[in-house]
Amino acid sequence: MDLVSLENILDNVSFAVLFITMLFYWVGTAFPNFSILPKLGTMGMIIGNLSIASLLLARWIEGGYFPISNLYESLFFLGWGVTTVHLIAESMSGSRLVGVVSAPTAMGIAAFATLSLPPEMQHSEPLVPALKSNWLMMHVSVMMFSYSALMVGSLVAIAFLILTQGKEIQLRGSSVGTGAYRNVKALKLNYQAEKLTEVENQGGTAVLTQEKTIVNQLSPERLSLVDTLDNISYRIIGLGFPLLTIGIVSGAVWANEAWGSYWSWDPKETWALITWLVFAAYLHARITKGWQGRKPALLAAGGFLVVWVCYLGVNLLGKGLHSYGWFF
């Protein structure tokens, strides 16, 4: 069997395995009594990860260069990154709920690469002169893995919003920055109970007022789960952000070598900067402002869309030095 045939088999296997894995996670969450299904989902994610890694390795051997030079290769590298970060997040959280959002994302990436891209974009081609550089592996791989981490972290934040129905919840995890264990009343959470308090004498009469005390509505089990999701989202985004920073800096150095300028405001560069600013604001709010729960989760959810625009939108629809030129 030649390498091209092996690649065709592996990309279809990756899609099929990830599709079944998605079903395992979804059905296992809908019917928690079937405890075997989430475990099968984890095994499916491991198999999908190894299938994609094998595909990339075969591509590397066939082409003789690191397989991340076109959209097909970068999509599978992104899918491999998503499955890898998923396994890290699932191991850290101990919750199979991560797979409910990350499995369909990995499956969708594999499906788009396998079923939607034109055949000519799936073939391995010789590198153009600008890509014949050691910076290809350094810059692009770091950027793609940072996208994977930021996507998974954002997806976990979206899962947090779904479980809490977008309401403020008091959390006591280690990811709430300088605001940990703050005064509960200052949080203005969603559930309020009233009590009478004596405040001061006015004209010899004690005045009773109603003071609002904040209580969480979630059960202890769900509160523990959303606390874990909030923590894992913060930690995974905290992993992706420095990788994004390194990727942008290395890309600037490579651009200077290739095009004679560190920064040219190419659409890809501009959106990479926007992505960096969004997640810098997320981390700044958590670390210095003590944000937790809903607010940073909403910011991360918006960041998920920004990452996709940066990675795929400007490549396919925009024009510039980084465009794949498929639609326009």
Side-chain angles (χ1 to χ4, degrees):
M1 180 184 298
D2 59 15
L3 289 175
V4 175
S5 299
L6 178 61
E7 291 168 15
N8 292 334
I9 293 173
L10 287 172
D11 63 6
N12 285 283
V13 167
S14 301
F15 163 69
V17 168
L18 291 172
F19 178 75
I20 296 171
T21 298
M22 178 190 69
L23 296 180
F24 282 149
Y25 278 116
W26 283 7
V27 176
T29 301
F31 302 96
N33 291 333
F34 297 101
S35 59
I36 188 65
L37 292 180
K39 295 178 182 178
L40 291 175
T42 301
M43 290 300 301
M45 195 65 81
I46 294 173
I47 295 172
N49 180 276
L50 294 176
S51 298
I52 296 174
S54 300
L55 167 62
L56 294 173
L57 179 60
R59 193 88 170 186
W60 195 345
I61 295 172
E62 178 201 356
Y65 58 84
F66 192 69
I68 202 167
S69 64
N70 60 29
L71 182 57
Y72 176 82
E73 295 168 352
S74 72
L75 279 168
F76 270 107
F77 191 91
L78 180 68
W80 175 82
V82 168
T83 57
T84 300
V85 176
H86 160 87
L87 293 171
I88 295 172
E90 190 174 75
S91 175
M92 293 170 62
S93 66
S95 171
R96 301 299 197 276
L97 189 63
V98 179
V100 174
V101 288
S102 60
T105 301
M107 185 276 296
I109 292 171
F112 181 67
T114 303
L115 305 176
S116 298
L117 291 182
E120 58 270 17
M121 293 190 68
Q122 300 185 20
H123 297 154
S124 179
E125 299 289 346
L127 289 177
V128 299
L131 296 179
K132 294 179 179 179
S133 169
N134 292 330
W135 287 105
L136 174 65
M137 182 184 297
M138 167 63 182
H139 166 64
V140 183
S141 63
V142 172
M143 287 295 293
M144 296 303 299
F145 200 76
S146 72
Y147 291 159
S148 301
L150 294 175
M151 284 181 184
V152 174
S154 299
L155 285 168
V156 175
I158 293 172
F160 172 91
L161 290 172
I162 293 172
L163 284 177
T164 60
Q165 299 178 345
K167 298 176 181 178
E168 287 283 9
I169 301 294
Q170 182 195 5
L171 301 174
R172 290 180 174 269
S174 60
S175 65
V176 293
T178 58
Y181 303 101
R182 296 186 301 277
N183 182 277
V184 178
K185 185 179 177 181
L187 293 174
K188 299 179 181 179
L189 302 179
N190 59 300
Y191 176 157
Q192 298 181 343
E194 296 181 349
K195 68 178 182 180
L196 296 177
T197 58
E198 183 175 350
V199 291
E200 63 176 339
N201 289 328
Q202 295 182 358
T205 303
V207 179
L208 295 179
T209 62
Q210 290 183 335
E211 182 181 274
K212 292 180 179 179
T213 307
I214 311 303
V215 185
N216 280 327
Q217 278 183 314
L218 299 182
S219 65
E221 293 79 11
R222 177 165 290 195
L223 182 60
S224 176
L225 176 58
V226 298
D227 196 11
T228 300
L229 292 178
D230 181 74
N231 188 289
I232 293 300
S233 174
Y234 170 64
R235 293 176 185 275
I236 296 298
I237 290 175
L239 168 67
F241 181 76
L243 291 175
L244 178 65
T245 304
I246 294 171
I248 291 175
V249 172
S250 63
V253 175
W254 188 13
N256 185 59
E257 289 185 5
W259 303 318
S261 174
Y262 287 101
W263 195 269
S264 58
W265 294 105
D266 180 77
K268 187 77 166 184
E269 296 172 350
T270 302
W271 276 96
L273 178 60
I274 293 172
T275 304
W276 188 91
L277 291 173
V278 169
F279 287 100
Y282 171 92
L283 293 174
H284 173 76
R286 296 204 70 137
I287 295 171
T288 66
K289 300 297 183 181
W291 280 19
Q292 62 169 343
R294 184 174 67 90
K295 288 183 180 179
L298 289 171
L299 191 56
F304 179 75
L305 298 177
V306 172
V307 170
W308 272 111
V309 172
C310 178
Y311 166 62
L312 199 57
V314 297
N315 289 61
L316 297 180
L317 299 177
K319 294 183 179 181
L321 297 171
H322 295 80
S323 177
Y324 291 116
W326 181 26
F327 295 148
F328 296 101

